[in-house]
Amino acid sequence: MSLLRTFAAACCLSLLSASTLAAEPVLPQLKAYETEDSWRQPTTPFRIADNSWYIGTQGLSAVLVKTPQGAVLIDGGMPQAAKMLLARMHELGVEPGDLKWILYSHAHVDHAGPLADVKRATGARVAGNAESAVLLARGGSDDIHFGSDMVFPPVQVDRLLMDGEVVELGSVRFTAHFTPGHTPGSLSWTWDDRRDGKRLRIAYADSLSAPGYQLIGNPRYPHIVDDYRHSFAVVRALPCDVLLTPHPDSSGWTPAATAAPHPKPVSCRAYADSAERKFDAELKKQREAAR
């Protein structure tokens, strides 16, 4: 029961205290393990750009992009968020049959948790890479770092993507960027939207943290350090007028403050630089311990 708490702390979340939570009821805990309330606290949906909406909780991102040909969901949060996500879509005029694609960042319970239920309720197709597809199909069991302690309802990937491949719906093109490290199948996404009549390049960059990971001599992930180095460079170079991340506070978002949810914007470069400094410090620590 304590593993997910440790995972959350290692991800460096700035969790909100109970006194600051919105009046809307907190989603229930899972029986298998508990999380901090902010991961399960619904927040009022708010507009990121003309067609892009934040519909997640205070501590976990979920993004809905609407087009005339249907909608796309990116990430979902914890497994118990499925009904909330469907309700948020309905509030924004997106009925179950309107959701065409489900995209994701990585195959951990706190981001891919409700995707199977949302897929079942909507008929939407899931797009992702082969590296994540296996872990998603077995519901997160036998994870490289966490074993089978944080499982979720299994979900099937319908379309396998290559690095740089595009998922297109209407006039919106979602480009997949492979950013392995946090998981071998970690994905970041970029697309264009508009705000105030101007083009807005949005990047949804995956987590770059290494929470309790074995970085030296990891038999399950021998090239983990190289993958992180690659991903830091990729994220720095993303087209990035607005940065979103699976944990919103990592990119300066405060979803509870829907009137002004982005008080301290973080650039893609700054996000990657900060993550690499923390990674280097942990790598140095593990190297010294291995001597």
Side-chain angles (χ1 to χ4, degrees):
M1 185 172 289
S2 63
L3 178 59
L4 201 58
R5 287 201 183 99
T6 303
F7 177 62
C11 287
C12 301
L13 293 175
S14 300
L15 299 172
L16 300 173
S17 67
S19 63
T20 66
L21 296 178
E24 193 167 354
V26 177
L27 299 173
Q29 294 279 11
L30 295 179
K31 293 181 180 179
Y33 39 73
E34 296 180 355
T35 68
E36 298 290 342
D37 284 355
S38 72
W39 285 23
R40 295 173 291 104
Q41 178 61 59
T43 189
T44 303
F46 61 86
R47 190 172 234 136
I48 298 164
D50 287 357
N51 302 304
S52 302
W53 292 78
Y54 186 98
I55 63 169
T57 61
Q58 290 182 3
L60 297 173
S61 296
V63 176
L64 183 71
V65 183
K66 299 168 60 178
T67 83
Q69 284 70 43
V72 174
L73 175 69
I74 306 176
D75 271 354
M78 295 293 291
Q80 56 268 56
K83 289 183 179 179
M84 180 204 76
L85 294 172
L86 294 170
R88 295 306 192 227
M89 292 179 205
H90 177 74
E91 291 171 21
L92 296 173
V94 176
E95 299 305 324
D98 297 331
L99 189 69
K100 303 303 182 183
W101 287 104
I102 297 173
L103 313 178
Y104 60 87
S105 56
H106 63 270
H108 279 162
V109 64
D110 50 335
H111 308 293
L115 300 190
D117 287 342
V118 173
K119 178 181 180 180
R120 187 178 304 112
T122 63
R125 301 177 68 202
V126 177
N129 56 16
E131 290 81 357
S132 287
V134 173
L135 193 57
L136 287 169
R138 62 183 185 228
S141 65
D142 194 28
D143 182 86
I144 287 174
H145 304 287
F146 302 111
S148 297
D149 290 307
M150 296 190 296
V151 295
F152 52 88
V155 59
Q156 184 72 36
V157 173
D158 301 292
R159 176 180 166 186
L160 291 176
L161 302 173
M162 300 296 289
D163 190 13
E165 193 169 346
V166 170
V167 176
E168 188 168 0
L169 185 65
S171 60
V172 184
R173 294 166 55 84
F174 300 85
T175 301
H177 305 268
F178 286 18
T179 48
H182 191 75
T183 71
S186 285
L187 284 164
S188 297
W189 297 91
T190 56
W191 68 98
D192 284 358
D193 206 328
R194 299 188 72 82
R195 190 170 64 193
D196 300 326
K198 299 179 181 178
R199 177 192 181 201
L200 195 70
R201 300 172 301 170
I202 301 176
Y204 190 93
D206 196 14
S207 299
L208 295 175
S209 59
Y213 291 1
Q214 179 184 343
L215 303 178
I216 304 298
N218 189 326
R220 296 287 306 279
Y221 200 165
H223 303 294
I224 187 170
V225 174
D226 292 339
D227 277 359
Y228 269 102
R229 297 293 183 209
H230 166 82
S231 295
F232 296 142
V234 169
V235 170
R236 283 191 189 96
L238 292 177
C240 186
D241 296 321
V242 171
L243 170 64
L244 300 162
T245 46
H247 295 275
D249 64 336
S250 296
S251 45
W253 290 88
T254 308
T258 54
H262 205 195
K264 296 181 180 179
V266 176
S267 69
C268 283
R269 176 170 291 277
Y271 176 58
D273 287 348
S274 175
E276 188 163 28
R277 286 192 295 270
K278 294 173 184 176
F279 180 85
D280 286 342
E282 178 60 26
L283 184 60
K284 179 181 178 182
K285 178 181 176 181
Q286 291 191 26
R287 281 174 172 164
E288 290 175 347
R291 290 176 181 173

